[in-house]
Amino acid sequence: MTITEAPQATRRLTTSKAMVEAIAQEMERDESVFYLGEDVGAYGGIFSSTTGLLERFGPERIIDTPISETAFIGLGIGAAVEGMRPIVEVMFADFMGVCLDQIYNHMAKIHFESGGNVKVPMVLTMATGGGYSDGAQHSQCLWGTLAHLPGMKVVVPSSPADAKGLMTAAIRDDNPVVYMFHKGVMGLPWMAKNPRSIEEVPDGEHLVPIGKARIAREGSDVTVVTLSLSVHHALDVAEKLAPQGIDVEVIDLRSLVPLDREAILTSVGKTGRLVVVDEDYLSYGVSAEVIATITDQDPGMLVVPPRRIAVPDVPIPYAHDLEYAVLPRHDRIEAAIRATAG
Amino acid sequence: MTTEASPSTTPTMPTARTSPEAPELSPATRTQLYETMVLSRTYEEAILREYHADKGPGFDIGKGLVPGEMHLSAGQEPVAAGVCAHLSADDAVTATHRPHHLAIAHGVDLRKMTAEIFGREGGLGRGRGGHMHLFDPATHFSCSGIIAEGYPPALGQAFAFRRRGTDRIAVAVTGEGAANQGGFHESLNLAARWSLPVVFVVEDNDWGISVPRDVATAIGSNADRASAYGIPGERIEDNDVEAVHAAAGRAVARARAGEGPSLIEVHTLRLWGHFEGDAQGYRSDLDEVPGRDPIPAYEARLREAGLLDDARIAEIKDDASSRVEDAIQFAKSSPIPDPTTATDYVFA
Ligand SMILES: Cc1ncc(C[n+]2csc(CCOP(=O)(O)OP(=O)(O)O)c2C)c(N)n1
């Protein structure tokens, strides 16, 4: 963890290191922050979400749990209600089914049910996404599911700097915040190397406000609204299309709740053309919500029908070729942008 | 549910600590147990080889003929061989994310299973499921990547078997880490209350990924938990296939006789990492692990009993190798699924 003491203003870090740095800084700053989950201690988190934290903060604050998600998420809720600031990890978003009641009926509803009298300042982290043949029970994004259920903020960083800034904001937030990180953006040594998963990260305190989208690339022809790993793919495609005369604007949503509708409207107001890219399931999801943001305001803003690239309502297949056929990857994104740019 | 939910007459069963005298096994059964374990180990060594063959440079989990997570069960073969020896293809087995040894011992077709692991059209799930999601209707075999969530469906299979008037049973397996999940406890209670023909098996390999049993679990033996649900619980301390066979025989007989479920916990061994690529930096018992390998130990025992000699052992191992290599060849030559069919099979 010497990185936090480095003198320069920014350093290049992987997303996971940036995320860990934010947690460490907040744990130093606030005694009530602690981290709970499976294999977060000696292992350092299956997706390197807690590397080095046990050595630094000890087992009283970096706590390995039994495989009992209902119990330990509930424990996080109870501790948060009493004023602590737990960060609780569910290893894969896919596992939230076994503990969903604690998430959406308790963590997310207590503030409302108490008429605003009880706060639940906790962060629930989970890994999302596929692309490496881990099959239908280990590759889902499911952020649309959580964003659909009221009462919790849902943040989805795509870059190392945002991973740090959004984590800091999430820990300091007085609401439950679900922090969903895609395995493919973490910069893990055992996954395909993604050049955008190592970037400059501000040293010291770094906050990114929750609810503010980021213009990942400015452009004038087509707006691509997306999040998480798909931001990387969209940027790759935008760079490829630029010399061909298609100037793509890429909006990284950063958080689904709250959703920065202003940023979407502003960009589509400029380009008149919209492609939404989402690695979650197509129907009843993020892509429809983004498009409704425009049509609720003024369908006339769109000069051509919008397009959505998402997982076509099928569980994520195991075999590589099948998985790549359903994931929103470069080829599908490019085709949609070209069709929209017309 | 009135017919199923008749008041339970099962008295609270004491937990067995030491196994009652096991009947002497026939030479044929003993050799068979050895053969099953050897086949399973040979299989996993081959998967290990294929899995790592093209993950480089470095280790990219998404690369290669066998991509994704790979959980191998080397060291746990006595559980699979000992339990499944009592079953036929009519009985159900529900395994975990670490399923190969159980699938092999239960007689799942080796070729189709391997093709599934390779993500091929000729696989059990036409390449859609993968190594943690093997479903074989021919042997009523299934598994799940979500911890303890294989227990509840096993109740339903047992329910269906009994409702149809058969003496078929369901065997549900978890790891000791999974025994702290709600699904585990809910299943024990419901199966006990309805006297369902289920045998619950816990594979205690000491580790839930990096978390040791005694860090995660309040008591030393999950078999003790059976008494909370009024069913027999038995813990087998040594990773010995004959001890497992004996305990499973009692539990299976009880289930077939309509006397309800039992729980067996076997103190077994995770010989390798939790998944392939796991450096096991957290692990404190690695030095002694190879010496606890149950297969050489059983081999030595059967040699002493005069049931195996060099020639017979070589024959068994050769036979296992040729079956395994045949399955791998089948998998490799089975077609890669057509991407245009990626959305098939969502609905019947
Ligand atoms: C509900 C759920 N939580 C967590 C996981 C992640 N996970 C996969 S295997 C495992 C450890 C399982 O330990 P155990 O049950 O003892 O089985 P073993 O791996 O030792 O065979 C964990 C935590 C999961 N798959 N499902």
Side-chain angles (χ1 to χ4, degrees):
Chain A
M1 297 310 301
T2 48
I3 40 180
T4 52
E5 285 105 50
Q8 59 271 62
T10 64
R11 306 106 324 135
R12 288 174 64 77
L13 294 183
T14 61
T15 307
S16 74
K17 286 203 172 114
M19 180 179 158
V20 171
E21 184 170 285
I23 296 164
Q25 286 179 357
E26 291 309 294
M27 288 186 70
E28 298 230 291
R29 185 175 162 270
D30 183 348
E31 265 298 313
S32 61
V33 178
F34 64 100
Y35 202 109
L36 201 69
E38 292 153 12
D39 305 284
V40 301
Y43 199 105
I46 296 297
F47 303 106
S48 304
S49 54
T50 54
T51 308
L53 292 179
L54 176 69
E55 291 76 0
R56 199 157 154 192
F57 296 100
E60 302 284 312
R61 295 182 71 194
I62 303 295
I63 307 166
D64 271 333
T65 60
I67 310 169
S68 304
E69 288 89 354
T70 297
F72 71 72
I73 291 176
L75 187 151
I77 296 168
V81 158
E82 295 303 329
M84 298 195 74
R85 290 192 175 266
I87 308 168
V88 182
E89 176 171 314
V90 176
M91 197 184 288
F92 288 66
D94 313 69
F95 306 161
M96 73 165 150
V98 304
C99 48
L100 193 55
D101 183 67
Q102 287 298 321
I103 297 173
Y104 86 112
N105 271 326
H106 300 275
M107 183 185 86
K109 289 182 183 165
I110 286 175
H111 184 258
F112 176 79
E113 290 169 324
S114 71
N117 288 321
V118 179
K119 292 188 182 117
V120 187
M122 74 184 261
V123 182
L124 185 65
T125 68
M126 49 185 92
T128 68
Y132 61 104
S133 285
D134 218 10
Q137 297 179 350
H138 285 72
S139 303
Q140 300 167 101
C141 288
L142 297 176
W143 44 55
T145 303
L146 291 176
H148 179 68
L149 303 164
M152 54 202 146
K153 296 187 177 179
V154 178
V155 306
V156 191
S158 73
S159 73
D162 278 5
K164 178 173 177 181
L166 287 167
M167 176 57 82
T168 306
I171 295 170
R172 294 188 193 178
D173 202 296
D174 278 343
N175 295 286
V177 179
V178 185
Y179 181 104
M180 306 180 82
F181 55 89
H182 197 295
K183 297 150 216 165
V185 308
M186 291 293 269
L188 300 170
W190 44 277
M191 282 209 181
K193 302 293 166 280
N194 182 332
R196 290 197 171 80
S197 58
I198 301 189
E199 276 177 5
E200 301 218 316
V201 176
D203 206 350
E205 183 173 287
H206 174 56
L207 268 154
V208 170
I210 298 173
K212 198 103 197 71
R214 173 174 75 104
I215 302 176
R217 183 186 193 282
E218 285 199 56
S220 52
D221 296 335
V222 179
T223 297
V224 174
V225 174
T226 186
L227 70 166
S228 192
L229 180 64
S230 302
V231 173
H232 300 215
H233 298 337
L235 288 171
D236 293 341
V237 173
E239 278 163 23
K240 177 180 170 194
L241 293 180
Q244 301 172 30
I246 304 176
D247 192 16
V248 179
E249 178 145 302
V250 179
I251 305 288
D252 174 358
L253 287 173
R254 281 178 165 161
S255 77
L256 294 176
V257 182
L259 181 65
D260 189 351
R261 298 186 195 269
E262 227 17 80
I264 300 167
L265 287 163
T266 305
S267 179
V268 176
K270 182 170 73 171
T271 63
R273 295 165 197 271
L274 172 64
V275 173
V276 190
V277 184
D278 178 17
E279 201 187 305
D280 204 346
Y281 304 120
L282 178 73
S283 300
Y284 308 99
V286 171
S287 58
E289 189 60 34
V290 168
I291 290 167
T293 300
I294 304 294
T295 53
D296 282 353
Q297 177 89 6
D298 175 12
M301 285 171 76
L302 292 162
V303 297
V304 291
R307 286 185 185 252
R308 16 190 207 150
I309 302 297
V311 175
D313 299 336
V314 58
I316 311 290
Y318 166 73
H320 178 278
D321 293 30
L322 297 176
E323 184 180 27
Y324 271 45
V326 306
L327 290 178
R329 297 193 56 87
H330 299 82
D331 48 346
R332 288 174 67 205
I333 298 171
E334 183 179 331
I337 293 173
R338 283 185 187 281
T340 308
Chain B
M1 283 333 347
T2 43
T3 49
E4 272 71 34
S6 55
S8 172
T9 50
T10 317
T12 300
M13 297 281 177
T15 306
R17 278 296 176 195
T18 48
S19 311
E21 275 306 299
E24 184 70 19
L25 289 177
S26 72
T29 303
R30 298 182 83 184
T31 317
Q32 183 60 52
L33 292 173
Y34 173 76
E35 283 175 6
T36 304
M37 294 201 293
V38 167
L39 179 62
S40 182
R41 180 67 59 85
T42 307
Y43 186 78
E44 294 220 312
E45 282 167 349
I47 294 291
L48 189 67
R49 179 190 78 211
E50 296 296 329
Y51 183 79
H52 287 284
D54 42 13
K55 284 277 178 295
F59 176 83
D60 178 349
I61 191 171
K63 265 201 185 158
L65 279 177
V66 184
E69 279 179 70
M70 178 53 64
H71 313 81
L72 296 174
S73 53
Q76 300 182 191
E77 296 89 349
V79 185
V83 171
C84 295
H86 299 282
L87 309 178
S88 78
D90 286 341
D91 297 310
V93 173
T94 305
T96 70
H97 57 286
R98 199 181 299 289
H100 304 164
H101 58 319
L102 293 154
I104 289 168
H106 192 46
V108 172
D109 183 280
L110 221 51
R111 286 179 157 194
K112 287 189 190 166
M113 167 170 157
T114 312
E116 187 58 28
I117 294 170
F118 277 70
R120 300 304 172 106
E121 197 59 45
L124 287 170
R126 302 185 169 99
R128 273 72 178 170
H131 119 96
M132 283 187 274
H133 315 114
L134 304 169
F135 294 88
D136 179 25
T139 60
H140 305 269
F141 183 86
S142 56
C143 52
S144 161
I146 309 293
I147 296 308
E149 293 298 291
Y151 265 31
L155 309 187
Q157 292 179 294
F159 176 93
F161 293 157
R162 192 179 55 186
R163 179 59 76 84
R164 295 199 169 135
T166 71
D167 72 346
R168 296 157 62 186
I169 66 162
V171 171
V173 185
T174 70
E176 90 294 340
N180 294 312
Q181 275 289 32
F184 176 94
H185 294 275
E186 293 180 28
S187 299
L188 258 61
N189 180 60
L190 181 50
R193 187 62 190 77
W194 291 6
S195 258
L196 294 171
V198 189
V199 175
F200 296 111
V201 177
V202 178
E203 295 181 297
D204 174 9
N205 62 16
D206 289 322
W207 297 92
I209 309 186
S210 70
V211 182
R213 182 194 54 240
D214 60 357
V215 166
T217 304
I219 56 172
S221 165
N222 283 302
D224 289 344
R225 290 175 156 178
S227 66
Y229 303 102
I231 63 173
E234 188 167 340
R235 179 170 164 97
I236 295 122
E237 234 357 292
D238 49 353
N239 194 19
D240 164 33
V241 67
E242 292 192 9
V244 177
H245 185 274
R250 290 184 283 276
V252 168
R254 191 176 126 83
R256 287 205 201 286
E259 291 162 18
S262 317
L263 176 75
I264 298 169
E265 179 167 67
V266 183
H267 190 194
T268 186
L269 172 73
R270 200 185 83 201
L271 201 50
W272 300 337
H274 171 73
F275 36 42
E276 284 313 305
D278 175 4
Q280 303 197 79
Y282 53 83
R283 200 156 166 183
S284 48
D285 60 348
L286 276 183
D287 285 349
E288 28 151 317
V289 156
R292 285 163 50 206
D293 188 337
I295 296 183
Y298 195 51
E299 188 178 294
R301 217 163 118 195
L302 295 195
R303 267 182 198 276
E304 235 168 75
L307 296 177
L308 292 180
D309 56 20
D310 285 349
R312 182 79 187 106
I313 289 168
E315 197 184 343
I316 289 169
K317 289 188 173 167
D318 285 352
D319 182 52
S321 289
S322 58
R323 286 187 63 192
V324 168
E325 295 310 325
D326 165 75
I328 300 241
Q329 277 322 309
F330 174 84
K332 285 181 173 172
S333 58
S334 174
I336 286 172
D338 176 356
T340 63
T341 65
T343 57
D344 288 0
Y345 311 117
V346 177
F347 294 108

